[in-house]
Amino acid sequence: MKFSLTTRDLINVGIFTVIYFLCQFTPGMLGLAGPQFMLLGIVLAIFFCGIVAVFYMARVNKMGAMTILGAICGLLFVLTGHTAWLLVGGTVLGFIADMIHSKLGFSERLSPARAIAAYVVFSLIVLVALEPMLFNSDAYFKAIEGEMGADFAHNYRAFFTPQLILTFVPISMFLSFVAGWIGVKVNKKHFSKAGLIKS
């Protein structure tokens, strides 16, 4: 396993972490309009983040890049009131994504297949955010009721059933695959000439 992040790489990490977090957090604000809009926000976030993630991996194709991104994004979500499991999940999924896209730090160029696979794994972080609805639902919806009102919490609980969440897992993975593929197509023309993405 090879770690070789430079100062320039860390600057890119900081820039892309902000962009990635905003691409996740901003669509999530649609959830204020209702549970259906929250699901739409998750889908939009998957697609926006797919483009950013591939761009990021092409710029910093090194072991540790996705781990740092996942850890910081997870921490930011925790600080904005989400489950603490996002910090753990973001770090672990980022580490796995690192192993895939950088080949344990020994890859010199990013292949489209590894970029897509790494993003599919990393994007599972959006499902970690739904974890309280499955395993701590009473306390979670009680907190939602205290912040947004009883009707709002009831509508969310009625919509986000365990069956819906579990069904959404494979759907989200498929959407992440498509988003990663789109990310490769959008970024390929910019990076293939530079030798950062193999054809």
Side-chain angles (χ1 to χ4, degrees):
M1 195 174 296
K2 181 180 178 183
F3 295 88
S4 58
L5 292 172
T6 64
T7 301
R8 182 178 180 180
D9 291 332
L10 293 174
I11 292 173
N12 278 316
V13 169
I15 293 171
F16 278 95
T17 296
V18 172
I19 297 172
Y20 194 93
F21 177 75
L22 290 175
C23 284
Q24 275 193 315
F25 187 82
T26 305
M29 298 299 290
L30 291 173
L32 295 174
Q36 296 87 349
F37 288 95
M38 180 177 176
L39 193 63
L40 173 61
I42 293 174
V43 172
L44 291 175
I46 288 174
F47 280 97
F48 292 151
C49 290
I51 297 173
V52 175
V54 173
F55 198 165
Y56 175 58
M57 285 184 280
R59 293 285 291 179
V60 191
N61 184 32
K62 295 180 180 179
M63 190 70 193
M66 294 299 288
T67 304
I68 297 173
L69 174 67
I72 296 177
C73 283
L75 177 60
L76 290 173
F77 273 110
V78 172
L79 293 176
T80 52
H82 294 77
T83 174
W85 282 107
L86 281 168
L87 176 57
V88 178
T91 305
V92 172
L93 292 172
F95 182 76
I96 296 172
D98 264 333
M99 291 192 292
I100 296 171
H101 87 87
S102 72
K103 296 178 72 173
L104 298 177
F106 292 101
S107 173
E108 295 183 359
R109 293 195 296 172
L110 179 65
S111 74
R114 283 189 282 109
I116 294 171
Y119 178 64
V120 169
V121 170
F122 188 71
S123 66
L124 292 174
I125 191 173
V126 300
L127 299 175
V128 178
L130 303 178
E131 173 270 333
M133 297 184 186
L134 285 175
F135 302 107
N136 195 23
S137 58
D138 289 339
Y140 176 79
F141 288 111
K142 188 68 175 178
I144 294 294
E145 180 179 338
E147 294 177 5
M148 305 299 295
D151 289 342
F152 188 91
H154 173 75
N155 290 337
Y156 260 74
R157 188 162 201 166
F159 183 79
F160 282 102
T161 62
Q163 292 83 0
L164 174 68
I165 296 172
L166 293 175
T167 301
F168 188 64
V169 172
I171 294 174
S172 70
M173 294 182 72
F174 173 75
L175 293 175
S176 298
F177 175 85
V178 175
W181 179 82
I182 293 173
V184 167
K185 292 299 181 182
V186 170
N187 292 300
K188 190 173 184 179
K189 64 179 180 181
H190 297 293
F191 294 103
S192 59
K193 292 181 180 179
L196 292 171
I197 298 180
K198 293 191 293 185
S199 300

